[in-house]
Amino acid sequence: MLIVQKFGGSSVANAERIRNVAGIIAESFLYGNDVVVVLSAQGDTTDDLLEKAAEINPDPSKRELDMLLATGEQQSIALMAMCLEGMGLPVVSLTGWQVGIRTDAHYGIARIRRVDTERLRRELDKKRIVLVAGFQGVNKFDDYTTLGRGGSDTTAVALAAALHADRCQIFTDVEGVYTADPRKVPGARKLEEITYDEMLELASMGAQVLMNRSVQLAKRYGVELEVLSSLVRAPGTKVKEVTRNMEEMKITGIAKDDKVARVTVRKVADRPGSAFRILNAVSKAGINVDMIIQAASQGEANDISFVVAQADAETARKAVADRQAAIGFESVAVDTAIAKVSVVGAGMMSSVGIASLVFEALNDEHINIQMINASEVKLSCVIDAASADRAVAAIHRKFFES
Ligand code: ADP
Ligand code: ASP
Ligand code: MG
């Protein structure tokens, strides 16, 4: 069997954890499998590198930032290779460049275009364990790019797809995908299985356990994923096309995203085209917008608010502010003290009761809802950031703990 195994940052955080993971890899290899391993940077390395960069230059070029960030994963593969060598096992570590993981040119959030499998196959043919640096690729200028936070998940899925692997295992620091973040909600339940679509929603709505792009890729190429713990031996969660309990489960899980911000444009001229001009300015800046609301205040001017990723908020504000004369409004401001709490499930639409249960849970906790957005598979509410964990716990109790 050809197995792709990915280990996240906490799984390789220190020497002891590296030895633990080496044991898992060795076991799979000695069982007679071809093993390709994708590693993340150790512990908080990526955050530390970002801080280091900020100390030198608060606004570095994205190219140089990627050059720096890519080093984190390279440390992990070299250390893991040394550990496996020490155990007498044949191993080789490869960067994204050495493998030939080609991406588009977008530094910091590159998409994988193509994966060369030649070098990987050659190493596997030599009966070596192959360790690949996650999160990185190379663009058409032969520069390093990174795939966005959590991107090692995407590397693993891309390799599994390119190699037609028999299994793709995502090892992490929890035992699988849960109905809510098990670190925040003690009553959260581990899911035996989850569909790609539901996992994609959960991941997109803030459940960090898998990067949303990795799930998209897995769905597209039919790569079945298994999310499991590197520390506890227990069956994990299967992410796949069809699950057994699709019909009965209305709600799959609850996610929180506190890396969002609201941009509010006040007293927008009440005339055709105002909303268009505002959102056009934002979209021209390359920023995705979510949950737009227009609140009619008394008189003739409206307030228009929308949600963006926190990292994009200042750019969005500026894009709108720069067009103040053309758009016609009084002021534009950013609020980062908000969070988006979402309930995800394939059976959402067929049951009106779900929305009312969510609102009831928030009402019980006296949490004010600032914005609402519903689709066939999810219901999201924007609330103040300080209440977010309490909101998730309260909603979880309503759906899963009573
Ligand atoms: P890794 O370093 O292995 O990539 P991450 O920190 O990216 O790990 O993702 C694992 C974390 O995701 C868990 O520690 C958990 O706190 C968080 N998480 C959030 N939502 C969920 C969920 N629904 N199920 C499982 N874990 C979740
Ligand atoms: N090291 C990168 C990050 O922290 C990629 C990953 O862990 O998947 O986001
Ligand atoms: Mg991760």
Side-chain angles (χ1 to χ4, degrees):
M1 241 187 350
L2 198 167
I3 308 182
V4 173
Q5 299 182 320
K6 179 256 169 177
F7 297 89
S10 52
S11 298
V12 294
N14 52 42
E16 189 196 337
R17 292 278 172 94
I18 287 186
R19 279 189 208 103
N20 168 61
V21 166
I24 299 175
I25 298 169
E27 191 178 313
S28 305
F29 179 74
L30 294 172
Y31 213 78
N33 297 302
D34 286 335
V35 184
V36 174
V37 176
V38 174
L39 298 181
S40 290
Q42 292 185 281
D44 296 326
T45 300
T46 306
D47 290 322
D48 295 345
L49 289 171
L50 283 168
E51 263 176 44
K52 252 189 193 168
E55 274 174 30
I56 303 285
N57 178 348
D59 190 22
S61 70
K62 291 184 168 154
R63 180 193 185 275
E64 298 309 331
L65 205 54
D66 275 0
M67 187 64 114
L68 182 68
L69 293 186
T71 62
E73 271 64 18
Q74 200 171 329
Q75 291 181 24
S76 294
I77 52 169
L79 291 169
M80 185 65 72
M82 292 172 196
C83 188
L84 290 161
E85 274 176 0
M87 294 162 72
L89 293 167
V91 59
V92 62
S93 66
L94 301 172
T95 63
W97 175 72
Q98 287 173 302
V99 170
I101 298 175
R102 309 301 307 197
T103 72
D104 66 17
H106 291 100
Y107 299 103
I109 187 78
R111 277 179 185 271
I112 297 178
R113 283 269 171 81
R114 185 163 52 85
V115 177
D116 293 338
T117 52
E118 198 192 313
R119 177 78 190 262
L120 289 169
R121 291 273 180 216
R122 230 187 312 138
E123 300 295 350
L124 290 172
D125 287 345
K126 289 184 199 156
K127 295 288 163 225
R128 285 175 169 164
I129 297 168
V130 186
L131 307 180
V132 178
F135 179 54
Q136 56 176 253
V138 196
N139 67 15
K140 63 181 175 198
F141 310 114
D142 282 344
D143 286 341
Y144 270 110
T145 51
T146 63
L147 308 178
R149 298 308 302 268
S152 298
D153 296 332
T154 306
T155 306
V157 176
L159 294 185
L163 292 166
H164 305 288
D166 300 289
R167 297 178 83 171
C168 183
Q169 298 179 310
I170 309 288
F171 287 89
T172 183
D173 58 357
V174 289
E175 287 178 37
V177 180
Y178 285 70
T179 50
D181 186 341
R183 294 188 188 286
K184 299 274 170 59
V185 180
R189 295 187 206 155
K190 181 162 72 180
L191 301 165
E192 205 179 307
E193 302 180 326
I194 183 170
T195 64
Y196 292 122
D197 289 336
E198 288 170 323
M199 188 63 236
L200 184 56
E201 283 301 330
L202 271 185
S204 304
M205 293 301 117
Q208 187 194 341
V209 61
L210 284 176
M211 192 207 202
N212 59 354
R213 277 203 192 159
S214 72
V215 185
Q216 271 170 349
L217 209 59
K219 180 178 159 84
R220 184 170 331 137
Y221 292 98
V223 177
E224 207 172 290
L225 305 179
E226 192 182 346
V227 179
L228 68 174
S229 167
S230 64
L231 299 164
V232 180
R233 274 178 190 259
T237 303
K238 296 256 165 61
V239 187
K240 51 204 266 198
E241 189 64 50
V242 179
T243 62
R244 253 173 282 146
N245 44 12
M246 267 166 109
E247 282 295 323
E248 72 207 49
M249 293 267 288
K250 289 207 162 64
I251 293 297
T252 314
I254 301 158
K256 173 192 85 170
D257 188 352
D258 52 13
K259 296 192 182 67
V260 290
R262 181 181 40 218
V263 180
T264 302
V265 192
R266 288 200 205 290
K267 301 227 167 122
V268 180
D270 190 19
R271 59 172 185 239
S274 290
F276 162 71
R277 286 188 196 94
I278 290 171
L279 294 170
N280 191 243
V282 177
S283 109
K284 282 212 166 123
I287 294 168
N288 286 327
V289 164
D290 167 40
M291 298 179 80
I292 305 157
I293 58 167
Q294 171 168 324
S297 43
Q298 308 100 320
E300 63 271 11
N302 299 310
D303 286 354
I304 294 182
S305 310
F306 50 88
V307 174
V308 295
Q310 226 167 66
D312 292 334
E314 190 41 39
T315 315
R317 190 201 60 78
K318 201 168 169 304
V320 175
D322 286 349
R323 310 275 282 276
Q324 185 163 14
I327 301 166
F329 59 86
E330 195 180 278
S331 62
V332 53
V334 169
D335 180 2
T336 54
I338 61 157
K340 187 165 72 174
V341 171
S342 306
V343 172
V344 170
M348 288 285 299
M349 264 320 190
S350 52
S351 178
V352 217
I354 289 171
S356 93
L357 219 51
V358 171
F359 301 154
E360 188 186 337
L362 296 176
N363 179 52
D364 291 350
E365 293 288 317
H366 306 289
I367 296 170
N368 188 39
I369 303 173
Q370 302 175 10
M371 296 166 115
I372 299 169
N373 188 25
S375 79
E376 281 179 31
V377 286
K378 67 163 192 282
L379 174 76
S380 303
C381 298
V382 166
I383 58 173
D384 79 291
S387 312
D389 287 336
R390 205 154 46 86
V392 173
I395 298 169
H396 194 273
R397 276 196 301 277
K398 278 270 186 261
F399 285 100
F400 296 104
E401 296 173 60
S402 55

